Each structure stands twice: as structure tokens, then as C-alpha cells.
Amino acid sequence: MKNLVLVIIIAASIVGCSKEQDPFEWNKDRIGLLTKETMVYQLDSLYANDSIVNPVKGDEFANGPNAIEVYEKGGKHLLTLTPYEADSTATIENIRIRDNRYKTAAGITIDSDFKTISSAYEVSSIDNMINSAVIWVNDENFYFTIDKERLPQEVKFDVSATIEQTMIPDDATPEYVFISW
């Protein structure tokens, strides 16, 4: 009988100590309620209190990938999700973060400037695209873009030019932040 009471007390303390998942936590393996293993069919239950806008079937060529939009009740755009395939059992390939409440353990949000991001994470590479610089973060699964209007003239119009980290102004904020699994 004493053992049973002890087991109940231990079980109650474990359950009481378990922490609820922060819906705005952003780390290598999760963004809010989503993980690498989350399947498309699970989105309705994960975001039961929010609104999900699914792509129109057969409209893949008009609108690009089958993006799934997640909005908070009240209209705030949270995330844009792109699944690997147009299938309910597919997992999510890319996530565009739209809400600045999503935050990494280092305190990075979509509103963080380049100086803050590059201080918190090591920049592994910078790709020169037509209208933006894509900055890849070492040992993480996210990347972000900076508008080339913020860059020096010598790289702004030349996609073959190498963009150095020192060319990006400290106060430049990302246009887009993506997580890719």
C-alpha cells in the first residue's frame, strides 16, 4: 500500500512538473507546435484555435508550391508552411515565419537586425540572388534574406559578385526568415 501511494505521489509530481509547450518557441527541431515529424493532416488539431488556409486543389501552377497559411483567430498571420508533397501524410519542408513572437533561445525574432543575428549565430555562407542576399546560419535549420538595396553598389546589381559579411549593415533586418527541414 505504501508503495502504491509513493508511486502515485511520484507520478503526480512528474505530471505537475511537465512544462507546457511554448507555442512561439523556435529551435532546430521545432517552430511553435510544429516539429520535423508533423504531418499535414495533423495541422487542424495543432491549430484548432487558429485558422488554416489550405491551397486550392489544382492551382499549383498558378500560385507556386502548395503553401498552407496559418492565421491566429483575429487575423494575425503566423506561419506559411510548404509541405514536401500535396498529400495529407506529407511532412513540412519549409516554414516562413510571419509573426515576431516566434523566438529562438538566443532571442532572435524576424525583427532582429543583422548584428544581433550574426552575434548569436555563426553565418556559414551568403548567397547572392537577384534581389536579395540569402544568409545561411551554421548548425541551424534557418536562413534569412536581406534586400540588396541595403548592400553596396558593387554587389547590388551583380549576381556573380561575392557578398562578404562585412558588406551587410548591422541594422539590416531580414525581409524573410525561413526554416527548412
Side-chain angles (χ1 to χ4, degrees):
M1 185 65 165
K2 287 182 183 181
N3 288 340
L4 179 62
V5 171
L6 183 61
V7 169
I8 291 173
I9 291 172
I10 292 172
S13 65
I14 290 172
V15 170
C17 292
S18 65
K19 164 178 130 171
E20 186 176 317
Q21 176 60 47
D22 179 355
F24 296 103
E25 175 189 2
W26 165 17
N27 65 40
K28 196 171 190 164
D29 298 318
R30 98 171 25 256
I31 176 76
L33 304 172
L34 295 174
T35 66
K36 294 179 188 184
E37 293 80 28
T38 301
M39 294 183 194
V40 171
Y41 76 87
Q42 296 172 311
L43 296 175
D44 287 333
S45 62
L46 287 176
Y47 295 102
N49 295 325
D50 300 310
S51 297
I52 298 174
V53 179
N54 287 303
V56 176
K57 298 278 189 234
D59 204 19
E60 296 86 3
F61 297 108
N63 295 328
N66 289 321
I68 300 168
E69 306 286 342
V70 180
Y71 292 87
E72 200 172 48
K73 291 284 191 229
K76 183 131 173 90
H77 198 168
L78 299 173
L79 303 166
T80 300
L81 314 172
T82 306
Y84 278 101
E85 300 170 14
D87 183 289
S88 65
T89 60
T91 56
I92 306 301
E93 179 178 18
N94 289 303
I95 301 165
R96 179 175 170 196
I97 302 173
R98 305 280 191 146
D99 189 307
N100 63 359
R101 291 176 289 177
Y102 289 100
K103 186 186 302 186
T104 68
I108 301 302
T109 71
I110 60 172
D111 293 332
S112 297
D113 60 28
F114 182 72
K115 180 179 182 178
T116 306
I117 296 169
S118 61
S119 295
Y121 298 100
E122 184 179 340
V123 172
S124 58
S125 65
I126 302 171
D127 292 338
N128 188 345
M129 307 307 273
I130 294 172
N131 295 318
S132 61
V134 178
I135 293 113
W136 298 89
V137 178
N138 208 20
D139 298 327
E140 293 294 327
N141 58 356
F142 73 92
Y143 61 96
F144 57 97
T145 64
I146 300 286
D147 190 329
K148 283 178 85 172
E149 289 298 317
R150 301 294 317 264
L151 302 180
Q153 288 294 104
E154 64 263 21
V155 297
K156 197 181 289 188
F157 303 107
D158 183 2
V159 293
S160 64
T162 301
I163 299 174
E164 299 294 332
Q165 191 169 337
T166 55
M167 295 175 170
I168 301 172
D170 285 346
D171 65 345
T173 55
E175 275 187 297
Y176 307 108
V177 177
F178 292 95
I179 295 172
S180 183
W181 284 320

